[in-house]
Amino acid sequence: VSVRDEKNEAKTGKMWGGRFAVSLDPAIHRFTTSLPFDQRLARYDLLGSLAHARMLFERGVLARDAAAPILDGLAGMLRDVESGSLAVSGDDEDVHSWIERVLGERIGEPARRLHTARSRNDQTAVALRLYVRDAILRCHRAASSLAQVWLEQAAEHTETLLPGYTHLQRAQPVTLAHHLLAHFWSLRADNERLEAAYARAGTSPLGAGALAGTPHPIDPARTAALLGLPRVFPNSMWAVADRDYVVETAFACALLLVHLSRFAEEVVLWTSAEVGFAKLADRVAKGSSLMPQKKNPEPAELLRGKSARTIGDLTALLTLLKGLPLTYNSDLQEDKEAIFDALDTCEASLRAAAVLAGGLELDVAKMRAALHGGFLTATDLADGLVVRGVPFRTAHEQAGAAVQMAERRGLELWELPLDELRVACPRADEDLLGALSPEASLRSRRSPGGAAPAQVREQLELARAALDKGLRFSAEQRPSPIRLAFEQGRLLDEEIV
Ligand code: ARG
């Protein structure tokens, strides 16, 4: 370190101070710093730095007398960050600069060797990938918990009838189990998307340098393995420019929130006096500051509203990348707040949704009552006529006429006297009349994936297996080798996997 370097670094306060004579304008510093938000990457950057330093040591780029204090210093910082005794603060320009500065304060001169064969461009990319993977797992687990709540409720309600709706008009009898499982399957697909995003984020960019690689004899596959990342970048320019895994994660979050918003909207509808299929337990409802009688489904409304944020985050990220030339550009620093927000919102919403779902007091009598007066089994009448040889289009017409007749007489379809029904539907018989109750209709819907209780019981088995698959996925994710070596104090051992 020349005297001049140290002087200028002190003067500009920057790790890149050498070529600058005057320090950064404070307003520009405040505008460009990412420390206020990227500080949550600290633990992930420290792990990335540990892996990098360990690899440099193994490759002989760092001698033991430098590697030992660096690994030790980074480990100490990681311990202190995780215990809360070391808080990220200062006027550093980002968390990466903060780590290097604090490491320097702790271990002195050797810290100046850590950044060998590394750039903040590959450094920030690997830290963000590790962060995103961790946060995806938290969302994934929270989604499994909500899925479990729906599954348990479904298992209790394979015989609970209610109208299924199209156009928000009563359509055909279904069961509450079938309805809840429809939400379950959306969430299962969300978890599959999270798993795919997790895999996508599993490519290590560490070792790309600023953009073109490095002359030092590094081993990017080794740092990837140490970090538990299954793949290594094939192209150093791509490595520092790629944020597709961020977009894909944000998309998984946004669609998941859209699904939650659909569930939430049903909670709002169902708990309205107009529908009344459910009431909210006190612990999941809120009141009005003015109207003493109110009990509002605020958690559900907020779930509905939170989806807007995640759609905004996804839109921001896509817009950020659109037209961005290769490779790293500071625009990319804007990726963080958007993806942090999407993942935070996703996890918090899932946890709230699970509590909300558990706080629904379902009124099965109200659901049952809603099967009346809407001629929900008119399709069964048409289908029964088809079985008796009538072409479907004709049967549809005849059943429609029967609906008109029942409506005029103020009767349910199954209450029409057979001779009157026959005026509209000449092929109708006693058996067909008997098939027009909501229960009979439900039991007849035995096609695969249909609403019949027998089908739904099979579906429940599939759902349990799918949930188990998801639970296995999250249980299989193990701490990375570098993390284990850190925890076991073996960072300088001959062999650490
Ligand atoms: N704070 C930066 C970010 O979040 C880190 C990378 C900075 N690289 C650079 N060449 N300025 O993207």
Side-chain angles (χ1 to χ4, degrees):
V1 178
S2 77
V3 178
R4 191 187 129 74
D5 285 349
E6 278 183 339
K7 228 175 61 202
N8 266 11
E9 191 175 310
K11 190 165 68 204
T12 61
K14 296 286 184 281
M15 46 166 59
W16 37 257
R19 69 102 64 228
F20 291 81
V22 171
S23 33
L24 192 63
D25 186 285
I28 296 297
H29 170 72
R30 281 194 300 278
F31 181 66
T32 55
T33 179
S34 53
L35 195 65
F37 51 85
D38 69 8
Q39 50 177 281
R40 60 162 106 185
L41 294 181
R43 331 165 33 168
Y44 302 94
D45 188 288
L46 285 163
L47 283 169
S49 296
L50 281 169
H52 179 66
R54 168 77 200 193
M55 179 278 293
L56 291 181
F57 170 56
E58 290 175 5
R59 303 289 294 169
V61 178
L62 279 185
R64 180 173 281 269
D65 62 350
I70 288 176
L71 289 169
D72 204 51
L74 290 170
M77 285 180 71
L78 181 53
R79 229 176 350 260
D80 295 348
V81 163
E82 293 191 337
S83 75
S85 66
L86 174 61
V88 181
S89 73
D91 53 6
D92 307 277
E93 58 187 306
D94 54 31
V95 71
H96 320 294
S97 320
W98 175 82
I99 286 171
E100 209 176 299
R101 175 174 64 80
V102 175
L103 185 67
E105 286 164 11
R106 290 188 168 199
I107 68 167
E109 182 68 18
R112 300 181 71 86
R113 296 185 187 275
L114 169 61
H115 211 54
T116 311
R118 186 176 74 167
S119 154
R120 274 182 299 161
N121 299 348
D122 56 344
Q123 186 181 355
T124 197
V126 78
L128 189 59
R129 281 175 184 269
L130 295 174
Y131 177 94
V132 163
R133 274 163 70 94
D134 243 22
I136 285 177
L137 283 185
R138 287 197 296 275
C139 290
H140 191 279
R141 293 194 178 105
S144 292
S145 301
L146 172 59
Q148 184 120 35
V149 173
W150 281 337
L151 208 98
E152 279 162 17
Q153 287 174 335
E156 281 170 31
H157 290 286
T158 54
E159 306 278 342
T160 303
L161 277 82
L162 82 165
Y165 292 77
T166 63
H167 310 274
L168 205 54
Q169 307 290 321
R170 293 172 188 172
Q172 291 175 345
V174 295
T175 61
L176 186 52
H178 201 45
H179 188 120
L180 290 169
L181 286 171
H183 287 301
F184 171 94
W185 291 111
S186 294
L187 195 58
R188 174 60 199 147
D190 290 325
N191 254 358
E192 287 171 347
R193 272 181 285 274
L194 286 173
E195 288 166 25
Y198 181 88
R200 186 76 77 185
T203 300
S204 177
L206 191 57
L211 75 161
T214 170
H216 301 287
I218 60 163
D219 185 356
R222 177 63 178 152
T223 41
L226 286 169
L227 291 168
L229 298 174
R231 287 178 311 277
V232 65
F233 65 89
N235 175 314
S236 60
M237 294 178 75
W238 174 85
V240 295
D242 173 67
R243 293 294 183 278
D244 291 1
Y245 67 99
V246 176
V247 173
E248 291 180 30
T249 303
F251 173 69
C253 292
L255 186 52
L256 191 157
L257 262 289
V258 166
H259 291 147
L260 291 188
S261 80
R262 297 181 74 171
F263 168 68
E265 171 61 12
E266 290 187 341
V267 171
V268 173
L269 277 173
W270 285 16
T271 56
S272 71
E274 281 65 22
V275 177
F277 287 179
K279 287 193 168 52
L280 288 174
D282 282 0
R283 69 197 158 84
V284 295
K286 296 178 82 171
S288 158
S289 63
L290 191 147
M291 298 168 282
Q293 86 285 8
K294 289 298 291 290
K295 194 167 175 186
N296 295 326
E298 285 186 37
E301 296 162 73
L302 274 167
L303 277 179
R304 208 171 49 186
K306 295 277 185 197
S307 59
R309 302 173 68 107
T310 53
I311 294 166
D313 294 328
L314 172 63
T315 308
L317 287 164
L318 285 168
T319 313
L320 191 64
L321 295 180
K322 179 188 174 299
L324 200 66
L326 295 177
T327 54
Y328 180 83
N329 298 272
S330 287
D331 312 45
L332 291 176
Q333 182 167 288
E334 289 287 308
D335 60 0
K336 287 168 199 66
E337 285 164 292
I339 193 61
F340 292 163
D341 183 68
L343 286 160
D344 288 351
T345 304
C346 185
E347 187 186 350
S349 300
L350 284 163
R351 293 194 191 290
V355 178
L356 177 67
L360 275 182
E361 293 163 359
L362 300 159
D363 188 338
V364 300
K366 264 275 178 52
M367 294 179 185
R368 184 74 188 70
L371 294 165
H372 290 262
F375 312 108
L376 275 70
T377 58
T379 318
D380 299 84
L381 176 52
D383 285 332
L385 293 170
V386 166
V387 172
R388 286 158 181 79
V390 183
F392 181 77
R393 197 43 65 211
T394 311
H396 188 289
E397 236 170 71
Q398 292 182 359
V403 167
Q404 272 198 44
M405 183 184 281
E407 194 167 39
R408 256 199 320 274
R409 302 255 340 246
L411 295 173
E412 297 288 353
L413 280 175
W414 63 88
E415 291 169 346
L416 281 171
L418 181 58
D419 51 339
E420 285 183 40
L421 178 60
R422 276 210 173 115
V423 175
C425 314
R427 299 259 182 113
D429 53 34
E430 280 297 342
D431 277 359
L432 180 49
L433 205 51
L436 299 183
S437 71
E439 286 78 7
S441 161
L442 182 76
R443 268 166 231 295
S444 75
R445 302 200 172 270
R446 285 184 303 263
S447 54
Q455 288 300 326
V456 171
R457 275 191 290 274
E458 278 179 32
Q459 189 191 155
L460 267 170
E461 288 314 305
L462 291 177
R464 283 195 188 97
L467 178 66
D468 284 347
K469 202 167 164 214
L471 290 171
R472 270 201 307 282
F473 169 82
S474 47
E476 273 162 12
Q477 307 311 319
R478 297 259 172 271
S480 63
I482 198 73
R483 166 113 225 155
L484 291 175
F486 155 71
E487 282 168 8
Q488 299 160 2
R490 298 192 297 103
L491 284 164
L492 270 164
D493 280 14
E494 194 68 36
E495 294 275 305
I496 60 163
V497 176

